[in-house]
Amino acid sequence: MITRQFVDRQKLQEFHPFTRLRALLEDLPVGRSCLEDGQVINLSIGEPQTQPPDFVTEEIEKAAKGWSKYPLSKGTPAYLSTSANWLEKRYNLPTNFIDPTRHILAVPGTREGLFMTALTVLSTPKKGEEAPVFLTPNPCYHVYTGAAAAAAAEVVTVSATKESGYLPDYTTVPEDILKRTELCVLCSPSNPEGAVADPQRIKDLISLACKYNFVVVFDECYAEIYTDTAPHSALEIAGEIAAELETNFPGSSQPDPLANILVFHSLSKRSSAAGLRCGFIAGDEKWISMINTTCQVGGAGVPIPVQAAGTRLWQDEEHVEVNRALYKKNFDLAQTILGKSVPVEIPAGGFCLWLEVGDGIEVTKRLWQEAGIRVMPGAYMSHANSTGSSPGDRYIRLALVYNSDFMEKALESIRNLLETMKNSETKDLGASS
Ligand SMILES: Cc1ncc(COP(=O)(O)O)c(C=O)c1O
């Protein structure tokens, strides 16, 4: 299913999930949580609650002279080459496939990168012409919609449901829309569902992008948080295409395997460093250069001491393994605790649980009022169709971002409420039959 919409830049609050959640809960009395002090438990935001390694502070102090300088627009040579090395190692890319000077751009985070990309890639329609299309999954991270609105593009969403593996199948989009598409985003592992795209899905999307000449943003900011198997990257697929071309047509001039591909990474999830604001975009040289110009004009860049800390974080895998183990443990807890009451699907990646509960908004209100727990209703991360329904209506999103003792208490509290709701529904049904 697809939806089509123009979002008014001056009405961003209408789709901003956190604004909508605040409005939903602000007049409802909050219940006492299961914590000793009864304080609210906030599982609505995907913000890691563990700390980044101590060396972050040390690196920032060592590079403190950089505070007086404007950052180099593209990134420091050390940050760019470390990012390229990390990509090569993580995705087993051909040597020198990623040239740090041409294929990488430092950005404060995926969020800022997305905005700058939308502003750069989406064209300004000429008078009388239709607006460009930005294809996004539904549900999705709200910044995609915000970036499309900022660039005055038409947002066309493609449902990501249980049946589609919780990922959008862009090959189902009608041709007249594909012809107008200039930008498309695939998030893997996805937010909110944690679904991971397999290589074929990525390949199909790259082929579609080449056929219709649009740019694909691969939002891979959760790539390092996975339960069993490390997710694939679009760069890996591009690397394979490059190797195949080289084998079949050695030495001849070949199409650029990175054409139309932009891959986004950041340290926010991988290193629990959302406040550091440090990430990068890798991919198509032409677009990297143009997005860099947009950043030079309208962005602040990544401060030099922040890049120094970021450089060290991309070089260290130990702290990432610790983070991964924590989220895996939290998913196991969710399976054990919630699995007794509702179907729990442990996602392949990310740290959020996309839980099917029936009426997501009703459960959100009850959790707030009766258990002091704040969760995100799936409907607020989704685009509704013309009848007002959306693929997120039956879901809530729980960010399992705290230590396991804390999560255990919160999950038990959620299970208790879901059980109470189930029992009262059964009673009501009994009374009416
Ligand atoms: C899917 C997705 N993309 C991007 C971001 C932005 O992350 P950052 O800008 O911190 O890299 C988030 C944050 O929650 C997200 O969930």
Side-chain angles (χ1 to χ4, degrees):
M1 189 187 73
I2 68 168
T3 70
R4 301 174 62 165
Q5 189 184 2
F6 282 95
V7 176
D8 187 335
R9 280 195 291 262
Q10 291 171 358
K11 293 186 181 153
L12 293 186
Q13 75 280 6
E14 285 177 8
F15 78 87
H16 184 242
F18 296 100
T19 306
R20 294 175 75 189
L21 182 59
R22 256 194 307 279
L24 179 76
L25 303 180
E26 70 189 352
D27 292 331
L28 300 177
V30 59
R32 194 183 155 80
S33 81
C34 60
L35 300 179
E36 250 166 52
D37 58 7
Q39 286 296 300
V40 165
I41 297 174
N42 188 2
L43 305 183
S44 70
I45 178 165
E47 180 185 70
Q49 297 297 307
T50 53
Q51 286 300 307
D54 290 344
F55 64 67
V56 167
T57 319
E58 290 158 26
E59 294 298 330
I60 285 177
E61 271 169 18
K62 274 198 262 169
K65 275 198 179 139
W67 289 127
S68 62
K69 295 189 166 56
Y70 281 111
L72 282 174
S73 61
K74 278 203 75 186
T76 64
Y79 185 75
L80 297 175
S81 62
T82 300
S83 306
N85 289 341
W86 180 81
L87 286 170
E88 278 191 17
K89 203 165 146 207
R90 163 72 167 81
Y91 296 114
N92 196 20
L93 302 176
T95 314
N96 299 329
F97 182 57
I98 302 292
D99 176 348
T101 61
R102 294 186 292 129
H103 297 129
I104 307 238
L105 175 65
V107 285
T110 320
R111 176 199 296 250
E112 295 85 340
L114 274 161
F115 243 82
M116 292 306 189
T117 300
L119 291 178
T120 309
V121 172
L122 291 159
S123 61
T124 312
K126 298 191 184 62
K127 225 176 170 179
E129 275 181 12
E130 285 191 291
V133 165
F134 186 166
L135 286 181
T136 80
N138 187 19
C140 70
Y141 177 50
H142 60 278
V143 170
Y144 308 150
T145 319
E154 180 177 0
V155 185
V156 175
T157 74
V158 177
S159 291
T161 57
K162 195 185 278 198
E163 294 69 40
S164 69
Y166 294 115
L167 289 166
D169 181 359
Y170 291 121
T171 60
T172 61
V173 174
E175 185 159 45
D176 61 320
I177 294 179
L178 288 170
K179 282 183 176 160
R180 287 172 47 222
T181 299
E182 292 184 354
L183 190 61
C184 168
V185 60
L186 183 71
C187 184
S188 170
S190 66
N191 176 13
E193 312 91 335
V196 167
D198 63 25
Q200 193 56 49
R201 194 182 284 263
I202 300 173
K203 238 183 215 169
D204 289 347
L205 182 54
I206 293 175
S207 304
L208 200 69
C210 289
K211 181 168 175 197
Y212 291 96
N213 194 26
F214 58 78
V215 173
V216 189
V217 159
F218 289 93
D219 182 350
E220 299 180 0
C221 73
Y222 288 95
E224 290 295 88
I225 313 296
Y226 51 86
T227 33
D228 288 316
T229 313
H232 293 282
S233 169
L235 291 178
E236 220 174 327
I237 309 302
E240 283 166 19
I241 294 171
E244 271 167 34
L245 286 169
E246 188 51 43
T247 312
N248 295 331
F249 310 99
S252 59
S253 80
Q254 290 152 5
D256 177 5
L258 290 172
N260 293 345
I261 295 174
L262 293 170
V263 170
F264 288 60
H265 281 272
S266 92
L267 293 164
S268 300
K269 321 290 180 189
R270 165 191 149 91
S271 300
S272 304
L276 191 67
R277 306 313 301 142
C278 193
F280 63 80
I281 312 176
D284 187 324
E285 171 180 4
K286 177 187 92 178
W287 287 113
I288 289 286
S289 164
M290 285 172 71
I291 299 163
N292 181 35
T293 308
T294 309
C295 293
Q296 282 173 315
V297 174
V302 185
I304 291 167
V306 169
Q307 289 190 61
T311 301
R312 179 90 184 269
L313 282 169
W314 286 114
Q315 288 164 342
D316 185 76
E317 295 300 327
E318 222 176 286
H319 73 282
V320 190
E321 281 159 24
V322 173
N323 288 342
R324 251 196 310 272
L326 166 70
Y327 299 126
K328 191 169 163 49
K329 193 166 171 199
N330 287 348
F331 279 128
D332 288 344
L333 280 172
Q335 178 83 75
T336 311
I337 297 169
L338 297 179
K340 291 176 189 151
S341 301
V342 278
V344 172
E345 292 180 75
I346 302 302
F351 45 54
C352 292
L353 188 64
W354 188 234
L355 194 66
E356 191 173 2
V357 290
D359 183 341
I361 291 185
E362 182 58 23
V363 171
T364 300
K365 290 201 288 194
R366 298 274 303 261
L367 281 170
W368 176 251
Q369 288 178 285
E370 293 167 45
I373 298 180
R374 199 177 183 97
V375 302
M376 182 56 76
Y380 290 2
M381 301 196 69
S382 309
H383 290 251
N385 64 18
S386 53
T387 64
S389 69
S390 83
D393 291 350
R394 296 183 53 77
Y395 292 82
I396 55 172
R397 189 193 72 170
L398 309 176
L400 309 186
V401 286
Y402 296 84
N403 69 54
S404 298
D405 289 343
F406 185 101
M407 282 315 318
E408 191 169 353
K409 288 190 196 124
L411 290 164
E412 272 168 359
S413 193
I414 294 171
R415 197 231 1 244
N416 291 342
L417 182 97
L418 293 176
E419 280 294 312
T420 309
M421 288 180 77
K422 215 157 73 178
N423 292 340
S424 70
E425 261 171 37
T426 320
K427 247 192 229 155
D428 288 350
L429 274 178
S432 64
S433 62

